[in-house]
Amino acid sequence: MIMQCSYSETTPSKFAQAKTSTLAAVDLSKKGSVDQPISNLIELVNNLDDYFTTSSCSGRTIIVANSLAHGSRKKGCKWLYVTHGDSVFTDVIECLREEPLPESATLKFEPFIMHVQCLSLESARQLLQIAVSCGYRNSGISLGKSGKIILAVRSTAGLEVPLVVDSRLLVSEQYIERLVGMANEKMSSNLMQISKFQGKLDEFAKEQR
């Protein structure tokens, strides 16, 4: 998939400047650093001349609490639980036993995602082809007016289940235990898919030398 507007490719010198400044900048993500399971993958991408990463997440299971202001308008959200590895059932239950319960809370599994700025449309298509071959079929390229080409590598293997509504826990602990198991199964598949992608990308990198 390619999303575009009026577009002209950036020059190699402008791309190199953008890569240098982006990779030297402070990480402004909530975590503040690259997730350990994809640190080697990110390094591999950034060592390729035609690419650099702008954001990424290795995959995570979170419980997000939302508070409402007036009507259905969100007032704010808070992470009650987050892990980039296997979820622990007792830890999940512990965060849902805290009083008072939030107005709403949702358990989510969010799979690996990576945004990569590419030098040219052809280089973006090459990386997209690798991503799709590894199962990241929800990946796509967006083209900006300034010539910026961004490839989003992503899958559809998510999970989202409401646990609390109107400050009331909707489901049993047994059901939550099953959800934790499902999230862990998805995390395991997610990490195997990342490993496959990294292997294919390593082959691609060797061909570029």
Side-chain angles (χ1 to χ4, degrees):
M1 179 181 66
I2 301 177
M3 300 172 59
Q4 75 179 89
C5 52
S6 177
Y7 157 80
S8 61
E9 283 191 1
T10 189
T11 64
S13 61
K14 286 184 179 179
F15 177 84
Q17 290 174 1
K19 180 171 183 173
T20 299
S21 61
T22 299
L23 297 183
V26 175
D27 189 330
L28 298 177
S29 66
K30 194 179 186 78
K31 185 169 179 282
S33 62
V34 173
D35 297 335
Q36 188 277 329
I38 56 171
S39 58
N40 290 337
L41 172 63
I42 297 301
E43 183 179 3
L44 179 59
V45 173
N46 290 330
N47 282 337
L48 293 168
D49 291 340
D50 291 0
Y51 308 97
F52 65 91
T53 57
T54 59
S55 65
S56 62
C57 177
S58 65
R60 64 192 179 193
T61 300
I62 58 175
I63 296 178
V64 183
N66 291 307
S67 298
L68 304 179
H70 303 290
S72 61
R73 184 163 56 87
K74 288 184 180 179
K75 182 180 180 182
C77 65
K78 176 185 177 182
W79 290 5
L80 301 180
Y81 178 84
V82 58
T83 179
H84 290 83
D86 281 346
S87 300
V88 179
F89 169 66
T90 52
D91 293 342
V92 170
I93 288 298
E94 186 71 24
C95 79
L96 292 170
R97 285 175 174 164
E98 294 183 5
E99 297 290 346
L101 281 174
E103 293 179 37
S104 68
T106 303
L107 182 146
K108 299 181 181 182
F109 171 75
E110 299 175 338
F112 165 72
I113 185 169
M114 179 174 68
H115 292 93
V116 183
Q117 188 164 335
C118 309
L119 172 61
S120 66
L121 188 54
E122 179 56 30
S123 60
R125 282 176 172 152
Q126 288 179 318
L127 192 53
L128 175 61
Q129 187 176 17
I130 296 170
V132 172
S133 75
C134 293
Y136 296 109
R137 294 184 174 87
N138 200 33
S139 300
I141 300 168
S142 32
L143 311 176
K145 290 182 180 179
S146 63
K148 183 184 291 186
I149 304 169
I150 298 291
L151 170 66
V153 179
R154 58 198 172 198
S155 75
T156 57
L159 176 70
E160 183 169 342
V161 182
L163 301 178
V164 175
V165 174
D166 294 331
S167 299
R168 185 168 62 89
L169 188 63
L170 299 177
V171 296
S172 67
E173 291 190 1
Q174 183 179 10
Y175 184 75
I176 293 172
E177 186 173 17
R178 177 62 187 129
L179 289 178
V180 168
M182 291 172 63
N184 286 343
E185 289 169 8
K186 285 182 174 289
M187 180 62 79
S188 178
S189 297
N190 175 67
L191 294 176
M192 285 191 290
Q193 193 173 21
I194 290 171
S195 179
K196 180 180 178 181
F197 181 48
Q198 184 173 332
K200 291 278 189 179
L201 198 57
D202 189 48
E203 292 175 8
F204 174 71
K206 289 175 182 175
E207 292 172 0
Q208 303 302 300
R209 292 171 189 157

